[in-house]
Amino acid sequence: MLTASGIIKKYNKQTVLNGVGFNAGGGEAVGIAGLNGSGKSTLLSILTGITRPDAGEVNLEGGPLGPAALRRFVGYVPQEYALFENLCALDNLKLWAAAYETDWKNALGFLSADENFLRKKVSKLSGGIKKRLSIALALMNNPKYLIMEEPTAGLDIGFRYALSETVKILRGQGKCVIFTSHQTDELAVCDRIYVLKNGSFVYEGGPEVNLVSFL
């Protein structure tokens, strides 16, 4: 289980997160919805250990969040591509595999990639393929939790469908998928969603809710 309680974060005396609590476990997909500036990115950065909260705590699999637990249990896909643009896709896979001390071929099942794709420089790839590569890298170490920030931002409806199918597969494998979005159709694949507004959760429940009424 990944849990957060009483999370407070301020920037320049402005409260971005105001005592929020969060939980997600294996075998479920959890969405975090909200407009730009609602605190979604800050919350994800705290859940992934990138940012420390001013107050509150985050626990992962029964213990405090820390580098060892993050490395073992969490795969993170930021909104901006964390890829080496001047290297080919295969070299990116090999570099991340070396860092995780695992086999780069573990990622191929999430790419549906051929040899031509793997040999191309990342800078020459489409946005959708870059995102697929980013997700594959995050899953290479077989983490229990996949956390993604706005995974379909700027991408076409075909990728949105592919992402929904990937979420269903991972959930069926007992993994937990957490992602931020303000797209109702994307959030439909979730078991639960949280809606952030002005740094606080104003809704927690099923994805069938009318988001407009909260945002």
Side-chain angles (χ1 to χ4, degrees), residues 1-7 20-32 40 42-51 53 57-66 69-76 143-148 174-180 192 194 201 204:
M1 183 73 73
L2 174 62
T3 63
S5 59
I7 300 298
V20 301
F22 175 89
N23 69 84
E28 68 174 341
V30 180
I32 303 172
K40 301 192 306 296
T42 300
L43 178 58
L44 283 200
S45 70
I46 290 172
L47 293 178
T48 53
I50 297 171
T51 300
E57 62 179 18
V58 181
N59 288 284
L60 177 61
E61 293 297 295
L65 190 70
L70 284 167
R71 180 183 174 87
R72 179 180 177 187
F73 293 112
V74 176
Y76 176 51
K144 183 175 179 179
Y145 300 86
L146 176 65
I147 300 177
M148 301 183 287
K175 298 184 185 298
C176 177
V177 182
I178 302 165
F179 65 94
T180 59
R192 291 184 293 120
Y194 292 83
F201 285 131
E204 177 190 355

